[in-house]
Amino acid sequence: MVSRPVMAATNTETAAMVSQAVSVSVAPRILFADVSSDGRSSIETMLASAAMAEDKTVGEYMNNAVTRLPGLENVTPLGQGGHVIINGVPGNQTFSVLKPHYAYVNFAKTLAGGVGGRVLNVAEIKASVPFDTAIVNFYAEGVKAGQNIKVYQYRDEAWVEIEVTEIREDHVVVNMTSLGTLAFIELPAAQ
């Protein structure tokens, strides 16, 4: 508790009385230098806790990415860094890239087998903004320009192909009409 003088008092006796009666509570600040007993800073601890809450590594959490999935080997790292075009208007919106429920990974593997492809990644996509259309640029490490990649969204208990507008080095750009779980599937090169 810190006592603060009240300046509206007209004489010193009233000011002293009011100053003692009014107190302000000051909360302790968390500083970057704060270190816990195990040697980790409070920021590191908060980041680790937030990452664990999303079932991600700290790197995945900090980069808004999914780089590992249970049941899927050779995952193509997938992230999203903002600049989503919402209803035709460029903005600063970032779509969250989250790990899906394990069942969706299995569903995606079944889908890939059915279309003769390979699952690159599966992610649940969330955002805090409503939209009719959103052009979303996903970072997909290792993707090459011209690679044959299709993106499917799980809707009403089925995978529905969504429009891929561009594939370039390390990027897959899609046109989304709703949020949900996406599967990125590589198909054999067109012959």
Side-chain angles (χ1 to χ4, degrees):
M1 299 275 240
V2 176
S3 180
R4 303 273 187 224
V6 176
M7 304 313 272
T10 55
N11 66 47
T12 54
E13 186 177 308
T14 306
M17 250 179 14
V18 172
S19 178
Q20 290 175 359
V22 176
S23 55
V24 177
S25 176
V26 178
R29 291 188 216 171
I30 297 175
L31 303 175
F32 286 101
D34 288 347
V35 177
S36 64
S37 61
D38 66 358
R40 292 171 42 167
S41 74
S42 47
I43 297 298
E44 289 173 323
T45 302
M46 286 188 289
L47 282 173
S49 295
M52 285 175 48
E54 290 185 7
D55 194 28
K56 288 184 169 187
T57 65
V58 171
E60 286 175 315
Y61 179 78
M62 291 188 61
N63 290 297
N64 188 32
V66 171
T67 62
R68 296 184 215 168
L69 286 171
L72 187 61
E73 294 181 24
N74 303 317
V75 174
T76 298
L78 183 74
Q80 207 290 307
H83 305 291
V84 175
I85 300 172
I86 304 286
N87 299 327
V89 180
N92 291 327
Q93 178 70 40
T94 298
F95 279 18
S96 296
V97 178
L98 305 168
K99 290 193 178 185
H101 294 286
Y102 180 72
Y104 290 110
V105 175
N106 288 330
F107 296 159
K109 287 165 72 174
T110 300
L111 168 69
V115 297
R118 177 179 76 88
V119 178
L120 299 175
N121 205 323
V122 183
E124 182 180 357
I125 309 304
K126 290 190 175 183
S128 60
V129 61
F131 62 91
D132 293 318
T133 62
I135 298 173
V136 187
N137 181 3
F138 288 99
Y139 174 78
E141 184 179 314
V143 164
K144 304 292 182 214
Q147 198 169 345
N148 191 7
I149 297 172
K150 295 202 181 264
V151 179
Y152 298 85
Q153 184 171 23
Y154 199 78
R155 294 186 203 152
D156 300 321
E157 300 184 22
W159 289 106
V160 177
E161 186 176 346
I162 65 172
E163 180 186 11
V164 174
T165 61
E166 182 182 6
I167 297 172
R168 64 180 192 277
E169 296 298 311
D170 296 325
H171 294 269
V172 177
V173 182
V174 300
N175 186 10
M176 297 179 68
T177 56
S178 63
L179 299 170
T181 301
L182 301 183
F184 291 74
I185 309 288
E186 177 186 24
L187 299 170
Q191 302 196 6

